[in-house]
Amino acid sequence: MHSHSGSDGLGTLVIAVDGSAGSGKSSTSRGVAERLGLRYLDTGAMYRAVTWHLLTRGVDLDDAEAVADCAAEAEIVSGTDALTPTITLGGVDVSVQIRSDETMAAVSQVSAVPRVRQQLRDLQRSIIGPGGIVVEGRDIGTVVAPEAGLKIYLMADPSARATRRAAELTDLHEREVAAVQADLLRRDRFDSTRAASPLSAAGDAVVLDSTYLSLEQVIGEIVTLARERASR
Ligand code: DC
């Protein structure tokens, strides 16, 4: 019998996309969500928004207690439309501020604080709700949504990642690719070695190396896997 289990399956499917900075996670995740008509959640933007909140409040980032207390007051709302994802802090659009150098330099330290992670994890789980969503981050398949129906771990060579990230930044700053690469590696090292849910591939994740693949190829690969999982 031919049922509608395929589309029903997609409607409740959670696709976790984890990986390091510059692996192509954001463009890939958005593209997959658009192709499949799913919602999209950028959890990195949430960590960045909390970080921006702390910076505007002048909190000492070395004081984990103060960081967690102040973070708890951050009112973060993530819009999950894949075509126009939004992020607001206290009702104000902070999509530009969260990409600033200041935020970038501080976000790893803030995201290493266990209470901050717990706060955002709860918020992320409430947004994921019944599913039908692509969620990108560092610990989605391992911690936030360990029961996700499809887990992808995206990788790419550091030089390919740095070139991509630098291209994203050109209209903001003139930055050397080498400097971008150094910054990516610094963040990766920090994100991968922290005690609280470090960046790592879930045991049941599909590892995709995007170094020699186009964005369309990576999206196509994940869309195929998602349709398979959804029709099981
Ligand atoms: O994906 P991104 O570069 O926007 O993420 C910004 C930072 O947030 C990243 O350095 C680590 C942190 N992060 C995290 O710890 N856990 C997540 N699920 C997503 C991001």
Side-chain angles (χ1 to χ4, degrees):
M1 194 189 84
H2 232 86
S3 74
H4 290 295
S5 66
S7 58
D8 289 345
L10 275 177
T12 55
L13 185 66
V14 175
I15 304 180
V17 183
D18 291 301
S20 50
S23 59
K25 249 182 322 162
S26 293
S27 324
T28 302
S29 302
R30 280 182 67 173
V32 170
E34 279 172 36
R35 284 267 299 272
L36 296 173
L38 303 179
R39 294 181 297 140
Y40 161 73
L41 180 63
D42 176 359
T43 63
M46 299 168 86
Y47 282 95
R48 289 164 181 267
V50 166
T51 302
W52 178 251
H53 174 76
L54 296 165
L55 292 173
T56 60
R57 298 298 160 97
V59 173
D60 174 5
L61 299 183
D62 291 324
D63 182 346
E65 284 298 301
V67 163
D69 288 344
C70 185
E73 286 156 18
E75 198 194 308
I76 293 164
V77 177
S78 301
T80 58
D81 183 336
L83 288 171
T84 52
T86 56
I87 180 112
T88 62
L89 181 63
V92 177
D93 175 4
V94 289
S95 51
V96 172
Q97 293 87 330
I98 64 169
R99 307 283 160 198
S100 67
D101 285 349
E102 279 169 285
T103 304
M104 213 95 95
V107 67
S108 281
Q109 191 177 2
V110 172
S111 58
V113 176
R115 269 169 67 207
V116 171
R117 302 203 67 81
Q118 199 173 32
Q119 174 193 345
L120 291 186
R121 185 174 64 223
D122 291 347
L123 187 54
Q124 288 154 12
R125 285 181 179 160
S126 75
I127 295 169
I128 293 168
I133 191 166
V134 181
V135 187
E136 68 154 291
R138 301 290 191 290
D139 62 341
I140 310 307
T142 50
V143 175
V144 175
E147 68 301 320
L150 177 59
K151 300 178 186 179
I152 304 293
Y153 190 82
L154 266 190
M155 299 181 25
D157 276 358
S159 61
R161 292 161 43 206
T163 306
R164 286 179 196 158
R165 185 49 68 98
E168 280 170 20
L169 293 175
T170 38
D171 40 311
L172 296 175
H173 304 280
E174 286 285 330
R175 295 232 299 211
E176 297 291 332
V177 173
V180 172
Q181 184 170 336
D183 181 61
L184 285 178
L185 291 178
R186 181 187 59 75
R187 264 202 305 141
D188 271 7
R189 220 167 10 246
F190 200 101
D191 296 341
S192 308
T193 56
R194 68 180 176 220
S197 43
L199 168 66
S200 73
D204 54 350
V206 177
V207 179
L208 281 181
D209 184 339
S210 73
T211 308
Y212 302 108
L213 297 177
S214 68
L215 176 61
E216 278 315 312
Q217 287 173 314
V218 181
I219 291 172
E221 191 81 33
I222 299 173
V223 163
T224 303
L225 287 167
R227 291 200 169 119
E228 270 170 30
R229 300 283 165 104
S231 62
R232 266 184 196 171

